[in-house]
Amino acid sequence: MIQETKALFIIFGGTGDLARRKLYPALFKLYQKNYLKKHFAVIGTARREWSDDYYQEIVSQAVSDEDTVTEEAREFASHFRYQSHNVNDTEHYETLKILADSLDQEYSIEGNRLFYLAMSPSFFGTISKNLKDQQLVTEKGFDRVIIEKPFGSDFPSAKKLNDQIRNTFDESQLYRIDHYLGKEMIQNLMAVRFGNSLVESFWNHRYIKNIQITLSESLGVEERGGYYDTSGALRDMVQNHVLQLVSILAMEPPQTFCAENVTKEKVKILSSLKYYSKEELDNHFVRGQYAENPARPDEYSAYRQEEKVDEKSSTETFVAGRLEIQTPRWKDTPFYIRTGKRLKDKTTQIDVELVNHSLPLFGEKETAKTVFSLKVDPDKGISLYLNGKKAGPIIELESIELSKLYTKEELVNSPEDYEKLIGDVLKGNSTNFVHWDELAASWKFIDHIRGMWDSTTPEFPNYPSGSMGPEASDKLIAQDGFSWFLN
Ligand code: NAP
């Protein structure tokens, strides 16, 4: 029997894209499953002057298919109120407090508050300060804050932001979202790794030749050119999603799955990443920027021609790198990472290449790779590629795939990333959120690379849209005698 959590959500950025596309549908799913029911209310705030009725209409539409708004969607939306609010104006917090207190009474919420900061992080410090000064954080019930990326643009700015927020909230009240941590298959990775002695027995440098992590996107920067041109793939993808995946793949088994123990193990990995010299970095990291595709000139524009992008931009839209994790488990096992925009497909996949000392019984022909693959998106599943006998009169090897792909029906009960993560916040479970110590360690590592990259001007653009990135990315892995498993 599901127990509802009493909660008042205050969503800063209630008119924004994230709120409409992700948050309202996620809250609706939690409502349909009874995690939220009678004792919940939402205040959406932003500068636009909207009425409650209009806001409720927007919310009902956001959780409905096309034109059919159900009674249930309307009932859900009736829990929503709107306040026009410029977060920089102090007096708005007074009205916000009055509204919050009255909704708390109306829905018997008993002081539980979730503040969702779904707007530019440059406002987080101001919002946190005012929430405290104007006593919107409550004495009774819980106060929890959900924070979106990007959390800073380097270690000093992330620390400054963190210090500002920490003037009001403790680390234990902060839930920093990395939506990859809400993905079904990333959570499944923990189950597969720690739920099978077989897997745990080969999960080390003795049996793993290399690990490859690919987060490829087929789209370009679309309408995010202005932001992206100041960020680039290293900050936008590697600092957060890629390093989070690396830390989960490489960490030692935590004592329990509680946030404290998982964070401790992840931080150990992030702090064990080898910092390269300039020469090593040139050998082990590749950056790229997409160009048009000469074969399909009408289909794609180059990054430098995108809206709000500098026409001489040196911003990277692709990163590939070889990471070294200096722990006994991963001695001499490289982790190759690869992420970029305008690549062939939108895919997230982790490929673990196992050593294969097959006996010299099969003639000259090389045996195929033995690979354990975790397919995260768009397919979701696990495959093990082994050498088997090709059906026929003689013993000849071929690669065979043992595969478990989750069907739509199997995934029907699997919540979307945001539903899962907001559900965790309601339960007060921060295991799948990013602790400050993880953020600090990953920013320091990224700043080191950024600092060296920023001292030289790359020769961009260097890969055609629709490819798998610059040729140098293939050479990077080939110099160790390997190749990308996913092509
Ligand atoms: P957005 O569509 O531009 O929304 C920004 C929101 O902030 C709007 O509701 C805007 O409303 C409000 N706002 C701006 N200035 C304000 C002010 N001075 N006072 C009060 N409200 C103000 O952005 P978004 O895409 O929703 O993204 C929000 C945050 O989530 C960003 O930090 C983004 O990086 C992060 N994020 C977004 C996504 C996504 O899928 N969209 C994914 C991951 C992370 P008014 O104009 O009405 O004031």
Side-chain angles (χ1 to χ4, degrees):
M1 168 81 177
I2 289 168
Q3 181 100 44
E4 90 165 285
T5 304
K6 299 180 176 189
L8 171 66
F9 286 81
I10 301 182
I11 301 181
F12 292 90
T15 60
D17 174 71
L18 180 74
R20 280 201 220 198
R21 280 195 312 110
K22 300 286 183 185
L23 308 189
Y24 303 146
L27 291 175
F28 186 50
K29 284 270 161 45
L30 291 164
Y31 177 78
Q32 289 179 305
K33 293 177 186 171
N34 293 331
Y35 290 103
L36 296 171
K37 207 73 222 178
K38 285 187 188 153
H39 304 285
F40 102 96
V42 178
I43 303 175
T45 84
R47 289 166 305 182
R48 254 159 268 192
E49 306 239 337
W50 283 0
S51 65
D52 284 346
D53 284 350
Y54 184 71
Y55 184 45
Q56 290 177 4
E57 190 55 39
I58 294 277
V59 171
S60 322
Q61 301 276 354
V63 303
S64 301
D65 297 332
E66 308 269 300
D67 301 329
T68 34
V69 175
T70 60
E71 204 38 53
E72 191 183 24
R74 294 216 182 278
E75 168 58 33
F76 165 75
S78 72
H79 291 249
F80 285 63
R81 304 288 185 281
Y82 184 77
Q83 182 181 309
S84 171
H85 173 120
N86 184 327
V87 293
N88 295 317
D89 296 344
T90 312
E91 73 271 13
H92 283 307
Y93 293 87
E94 290 165 19
T95 13
L96 193 58
K97 178 173 163 43
I98 294 168
L99 179 58
D101 290 346
S102 94
L103 287 172
D104 189 284
Q105 284 281 325
E106 184 181 338
Y107 289 98
S108 309
I109 290 173
E110 297 178 1
N112 291 341
R113 287 191 184 168
L114 286 113
F115 303 99
Y116 205 120
L117 309 189
M119 53 190 298
S120 162
S122 58
F123 295 116
F124 292 176
T126 310
I127 298 173
S128 310
K129 182 175 182 314
N130 280 297
L131 290 178
K132 185 180 179 187
D133 292 352
Q134 309 297 323
Q135 290 151 10
L136 269 135
V137 288
T138 56
E139 293 296 315
K140 72 180 184 135
F142 60 69
D143 291 293
R144 294 176 187 152
V145 187
I146 308 177
I147 301 171
E148 278 294 336
K149 77 164 202 182
F151 199 94
S153 54
D154 53 14
F155 175 70
S157 60
K159 178 159 185 342
K160 188 169 163 210
L161 185 57
N162 201 52
D163 290 347
Q164 288 172 339
I165 298 171
R166 289 290 301 275
N167 281 331
T168 301
F169 298 102
D170 292 341
E171 179 66 31
S172 66
Q173 295 174 303
L174 302 181
Y175 293 78
R176 297 184 196 82
I177 295 241
D178 184 320
H179 71 280
Y180 275 73
L181 302 184
K183 288 188 182 290
E184 183 62 40
M185 291 310 296
I186 299 303
Q187 299 192 352
N188 199 348
L189 172 61
M190 302 243 201
V192 172
R193 250 200 84 181
F194 303 125
N196 298 287
S197 329
L198 172 74
V199 176
E200 193 50 24
S201 69
F202 70 68
W203 209 259
N204 58 62
H205 70 97
R206 277 187 294 278
Y207 298 103
I208 294 181
K209 282 187 181 178
N210 68 75
I211 294 186
Q212 305 176 12
I213 301 169
T214 302
L215 273 67
S216 67
E217 296 174 274
S218 52
L219 292 178
V221 286
E222 310 299 298
E223 64 288 342
R224 286 174 76 223
Y227 157 74
Y228 196 88
D229 209 34
T230 60
S231 166
L234 188 68
R235 289 187 175 115
D236 190 52
M237 295 296 285
V238 181
Q239 178 272 325
N240 37 53
H241 312 313
V242 173
L243 289 184
Q244 279 295 320
L245 299 197
V246 168
S247 66
I248 294 171
L249 281 160
M251 73 181 182
E252 293 300 313
Q255 224 167 21
T256 66
F257 277 132
C258 80
E260 192 189 349
N261 288 331
V262 172
T263 295
K264 197 167 72 188
E265 297 306 335
K266 283 163 77 185
V267 171
K268 278 191 213 158
I269 296 301
L270 294 168
S271 313
S272 307
L273 290 168
K274 183 170 180 196
Y275 280 49
Y276 292 133
S277 65
K278 174 82 175 73
E279 201 185 349
E280 287 170 327
L281 188 75
D282 289 345
N283 258 328
H284 296 327
F285 265 79
V286 169
R287 50 180 158 162
Q289 187 189 81
Y290 61 80
E292 308 89 343
N293 185 328
R296 290 182 279 173
D298 299 334
E299 205 173 328
Y300 302 116
S301 53
Y303 175 71
R304 287 176 177 175
Q305 263 98 61
E306 301 279 17
E307 234 176 86
K308 299 194 189 143
V309 167
D310 183 342
E311 58 190 28
K312 292 192 180 122
S313 175
S314 295
T315 299
E316 77 285 350
T317 58
F318 176 95
V319 176
R322 176 196 202 274
L323 303 180
E324 286 178 35
I325 297 169
Q326 302 173 109
T327 64
R329 184 186 287 262
W330 297 114
K331 184 180 172 304
D332 300 331
T333 295
F335 281 59
Y336 298 103
I337 58 163
R338 186 170 53 155
T339 184
K341 291 199 176 290
R342 276 283 175 74
L343 300 181
K344 208 165 87 188
D345 299 302
K346 178 170 170 52
T347 312
T348 302
Q349 185 165 315
I350 296 165
D351 297 305
V352 177
E353 185 176 348
L354 301 167
V355 295
N356 186 5
H357 302 303
S358 56
L359 298 170
L361 298 170
F362 303 105
E364 293 289 288
K365 204 166 165 239
E366 255 188 53
T367 52
K369 289 176 181 176
T370 310
V371 176
F372 169 87
S373 280
L374 189 85
K375 298 173 201 296
V376 180
D377 275 324
D379 292 339
K380 294 173 179 49
I382 294 164
S383 294
L384 182 61
Y385 298 86
L386 297 171
N387 282 288
K389 179 182 168 295
K390 190 172 182 180
I394 53 164
I395 294 194
E396 194 182 342
L397 297 186
E398 69 172 356
S399 177
I400 54 168
E401 180 184 353
L402 310 183
S403 181
K404 163 70 190 164
L405 276 191
Y406 289 85
T407 62
K408 270 202 178 126
E409 291 70 37
E410 284 173 303
L411 291 169
V412 90
N413 288 326
S414 167
E416 292 284 326
D417 314 344
Y418 272 88
E419 178 193 340
K420 206 177 289 186
L421 293 172
I422 297 174
D424 281 352
V425 182
L426 284 171
K427 292 182 209 131
N429 177 0
S430 58
T431 301
N432 293 314
F433 293 83
V434 183
H435 190 280
W436 166 248
D437 294 346
E438 296 167 43
L439 204 57
S442 49
W443 268 128
K444 286 178 190 169
F445 180 72
I446 293 301
D447 287 355
H448 179 72
I449 298 173
R450 191 78 263 169
M452 289 194 271
W453 272 0
D454 287 347
S455 64
T456 54
T457 308
E459 287 189 20
F460 283 167
N462 60 352
Y463 69 95
S465 291
S467 68
M468 277 309 272
E471 276 173 27
S473 152
D474 296 331
K475 288 187 186 146
L476 162 92
I477 186 164
Q479 69 190 356
D480 294 336
F482 304 127
S483 57
W484 293 106
F485 188 65
L486 179 72
N487 268 307

